[in-house]
């Protein structure tokens, strides 16, 4: 393996001849849509993370798996990199295209193949929207649990590629915990099944390895997800606190009391005020922080848990605890939370949404640390996040038109992620690494770990053609980023020559 | 990679000089126990699967991680294979030693480092017994959910290596679903952390990949497991059926009704009679099959679910449904199930315990198929198994002293596993592949898939020194086993030259 994928992006590989490739695609796959004009390519230059844009060389829109198969075989023969894309809602630039590569859009694979209530699974094509699965399962009182905020638009293939999370992941797990089987095409265009319809699959757990691999190990052609029974009832408690640290501590104490809420979300004063101004959810605008704690299950169980959570919240110093009195108020409480990002967006010309995860016990300290950093950098930070699973989303407010503010916001964001890593957390919770966090991976992992990642990548894709330049940084990149220890101008790692 | 690990077992590698290695170990690790006499080695010649035995070259019993680290570095330098072993309760020969290798016994690492109720995890050394974790967590009303039958003896390191299951896995998942983090030593003796204390870890999911990898990717030195709150109450229903197929169908219907029992076990008439004779559990000896369905959670919830399950069972054709009237009867119902294997052992001089997994919906058909095979081979088969997750344990009764019976039992066992694979299941549920099922892996996976497994193995252990000859068969072996399609004496796979 002499040339590595990250280097492709930096232009080490000989250029691909666009018109020759286009001609070959038209000849070999005459019935597959191929976009090639600047005008047609423009809409595909970024995903949900608009900070990074690249015009793809070509965009292909297959409608049948056989087309994807032939396309991959052709690209493999011609040494052309391939970036797969679902609905394009990703927030870390995982589907950012390449100037010298093909953008493979899987959005037309929208067929729900089977919903099986007895086996409690659904078998779907990768372009099926997350919410559409739950809608198809609803007649059987089943649903698909992972619920990213973008669930109305994002597709299951992208969810698998990014191991997507959501409000309910605390109780019901991430995408990886809700999968049975994935059909893929390898970089060589060979069909392969990862996982099985049965409980467990022998050999190495390639399904879990593949989940969250950001399009680097293969192309998803079919997904079998687990379905769960819909909870009979859901109730939500709103607790007010006079400090964010106290609210942070209360989170750990609810969990320590043996309760797993369906959702456990936190908002600080800046976010509360913004959401209240926007949505009129009935939030206490004087509170320094609120917790929204949803309990779901059967009626009696939920009733019992509500009582227990109330006691914990009051002992943890909540100044007020309110149970949403009816379904309308419950929906309103959640509407405030779900619209908190656009609400905060009204406070400032720009904001930068971070995504980091920390162990729950570290919440009070990290919230204090973020507040100190906010003061130090002179930028407001709003906190709205999945507190129960320690997945933070600090929103850094800034004005890109003020000279230096964007830089300051980015530096502050980096510091917050470093703080997460320092306390045993990670640089991403549910948004993935993609292109955005590739440098931060150098802080998260040491060179042995990165080498192992590259070796695993090479086991699936030795040619490095699948989504090069994302997710796993080269050691060269880390050395340049400065996170690795370079002594006296010399790299200490002989492995750098390999990767 | 010229020499592959399976070939080492067949003696391709130059022999290790035992006395030179022993002398070096004593010099470099003077305070580590090393066993080398035939008498001392004897107890280590097999694990829980006594059908396969090999005398290890040397057995080492380290007490500190530093010793394991130095041992691995030495073995790596000297090209000596290493097989790790925990409590030795494994049922597929995963810890079967090598004549030309070191058996690394991790049983002395018995320290529970931390039980953290707020973070709801326990951090333990690999030799800690499964049940000891729950005992240490009990003061906080927490427990560790996966409960293999051997939980009183088996250790958590082995549980991770085999991705162990148990009665409660239907509701609470396998080992892989209950882990946060594993500390390992690589084949080169380097420390590495897989997973994190936080919800999710960026990069590829190496923790899940490692779980169930049967000691082939690294040596476990520390495990952080998730703890769950203990259910307030548990009740068990006993349902009788006049056919195994009806009982099999009822299993799928309970799940389809949106209920996830804490345990859902099935026994057929042969097993019922054996258990009743032995334990006097109060089972209906005339029933063709029974289901034991345990519901756990808070009082009201469990009460409600019991009512719903009763309705489903009666609709599915149960001739009788009994709720254990008190805790004593509940324990008795389970005692019958838990002692069913030794009870069946009283019926016949020998029995062969199979372990296969199938999709739940296939239960009625596969049970019928097993019954037909039993008749065809003239051998009785008792069925006692985790019905809820489709994990079957057919017990084939035979007499090894009758000429040909052992062979017939093994052939019948192979046919049952083939049936499992045919309906979309797998050749193992919770016992692993180890040495026992290595040939069956050739039926389960095609050559592309096996090549990928080998490439993943090589990413962690290019030298192939860790537990060679287990879990993943070489393509050579599969060709010899005859499960791969060999046409006109020629192997169709050019990759065979590589693996």
């Amino acid at each position: 393996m002499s040339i590595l994928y990250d280097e492709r992006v930096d232009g080490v590989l000989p250029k691909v001849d666009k018109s020759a490739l286009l001609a070959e695609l038209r000849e070999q796959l005459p019935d597959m849509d191929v976009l090639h004009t600047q005008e047609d390519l423009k809409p595909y230059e970024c995903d949900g993370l608009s900070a990074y844009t690249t015009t793809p060389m070509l965009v292909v829109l297959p409608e049948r798996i056989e087309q994807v198969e032939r396309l991959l075989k052709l690209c493999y023969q011609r040494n052309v990199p391939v970036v797969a894309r679902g609905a394009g809602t990703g927030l870390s630039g995982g589907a950012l295209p390449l100037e010298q590569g093909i953008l493979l859009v899987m959005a037309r694979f929208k067929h729900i193949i089977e919903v099986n209530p007895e086996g409690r699974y659904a078998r779907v094509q990768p372009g099926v929207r997350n919410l559409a699965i739950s809608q198809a399962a609803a007649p059987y009182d089943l649903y698909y649990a992972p619920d990213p905020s973008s669930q109305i638009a994002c597709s299951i293939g992208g969810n698998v590629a990014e191991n997507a999370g959501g409000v309910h992941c605390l109780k019901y797990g991430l995408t990886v915990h809700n999968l049975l089987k994935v059909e893929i095409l390898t970089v060589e265009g060979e069909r392969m099944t990862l996982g099985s319809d049965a409980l467990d699959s022998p050999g190495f757990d390639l399904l879990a390895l593949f989940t969250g691999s950001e399009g680097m190990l293969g192309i998803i052609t079919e997904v079998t997800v687990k379905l769960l029974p819909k909870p009979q009832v859901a109730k939500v408690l709103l607790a007010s606190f006079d400090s964010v640290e106290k609210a942070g501590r209360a989170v750990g104490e609810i969990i320590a009391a043996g309760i797993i809420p369906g959702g456990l979300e936190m908002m600080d004063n800046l976010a509360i005020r913004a959401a209240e101004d926007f949505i009129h959810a009935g939030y206490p605008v004087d509170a320094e922080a609120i917790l929204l704690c949803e309990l779901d299950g059967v009626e009696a169980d939920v009733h019992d848990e509500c009582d227990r959570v109330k006691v914990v919240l009051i002992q943890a110093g909540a100044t007020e605890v309110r149970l949403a009195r009816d379904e309308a108020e419950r929906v309103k409480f959640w509407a405030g939370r779900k619209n908190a990002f656009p609400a905060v967006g009204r406070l400032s010309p720009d904001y930068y949404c971070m995504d980091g995860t920390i162990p729950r016990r570290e919440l009070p300290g990290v919230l204090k640390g973020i507040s100190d950093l906010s003061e130090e950098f002179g930028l407001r930070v709003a906190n709205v996040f999945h507190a129960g699973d320690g997945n933070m989303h600090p929103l850094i407010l800034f004005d890109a038109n003020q000279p230096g503010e964007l830089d300051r916001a980015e530096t502050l964001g980096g510091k917050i992620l470093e703080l997460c890593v320092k306390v045993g957390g990670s640089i991403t919770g549910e948004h993935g690494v993609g292109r955005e966090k590739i440098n931060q991976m150098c802080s998260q992992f040491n060179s042995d770990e990165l080498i192992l990642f590259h070796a695993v990548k090479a086991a699936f894709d030795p040619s490095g053609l699948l989504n090069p330049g994302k997710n796993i940084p080269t050691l060269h990149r880390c050395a340049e980023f400065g996170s690795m220890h370079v002594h006296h101008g010399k790299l200490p790692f002989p492995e750098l020559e390999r990767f």
Side-chain angles (χ1 to χ4, degrees), chain A residues 270-431:
Chain A
L270 192 54
I272 296 167
R273 286 180 183 271
E276 187 57 26
D277 279 356
F278 188 34
I279 301 292
H280 312 294
Y283 290 167
V285 291
D286 293 330
E288 281 305 310
I290 59 169
L291 289 180
L292 288 172
C293 179
E294 178 153 303
L295 300 155
D296 61 4
V298 295
E299 182 82 42
D301 189 358
V302 170
H303 185 79
D304 175 80
E305 283 189 342
C306 274
D307 289 348
R308 290 166 63 207
V309 170
K310 261 189 230 168
V311 171
V312 173
L313 287 166
I314 287 163
Q315 280 173 351
T319 52
E320 192 194 359
V321 181
R322 279 156 58 192
L323 176 70
R325 60 180 172 274
D326 52 24
E327 184 61 14
E329 193 172 56
R330 189 184 77 87
V331 170
K332 224 172 173 189
F333 281 177
W334 279 117
R337 162 65 184 91
K338 287 183 181 167
N339 289 288
F341 282 25
V344 169
R346 296 165 77 227
L347 299 184
S348 168
D350 302 281
Y351 74 87
Y352 184 28
C353 170
M354 308 303 298
D355 169 48
T357 310
I358 58 169
R360 263 191 306 268
R361 62 171 185 276
E362 304 290 348
L363 273 174
V366 170
L367 286 167
K368 176 77 173 56
I370 292 176
S371 156
D372 291 348
L373 283 167
S374 161
E375 211 158 297
E376 183 188 331
F377 280 77
L379 292 172
R380 289 181 297 170
V381 178
N383 285 292
V384 187
F385 63 102
H386 310 315
D389 45 23
N391 187 184
M392 310 194 71
H393 288 313
L395 301 172
I396 302 170
L397 276 54
F398 68 99
D399 180 353
N401 288 327
Q402 295 297 317
E405 280 216 357
L406 172 59
D407 282 352
R408 230 160 62 232
E410 284 189 337
T411 311
L412 171 54
K415 293 269 178 202
I416 291 174
L417 291 184
E418 279 170 31
L419 183 58
C420 292
V421 173
K422 210 176 112 191
V423 301
S426 76
I427 56 161
T428 169
E430 53 185 15
H431 296 176

Side-chain angles (χ1 to χ4, degrees), chain A residues 10 74 76 101 172 181 234 333 351 356 451 455 479:
Chain A
D10 306 331
L74 178 68
Y76 186 71
Y172 300 106
K181 198 170 72 173
F333 281 177
Y351 74 87
I451 287 167

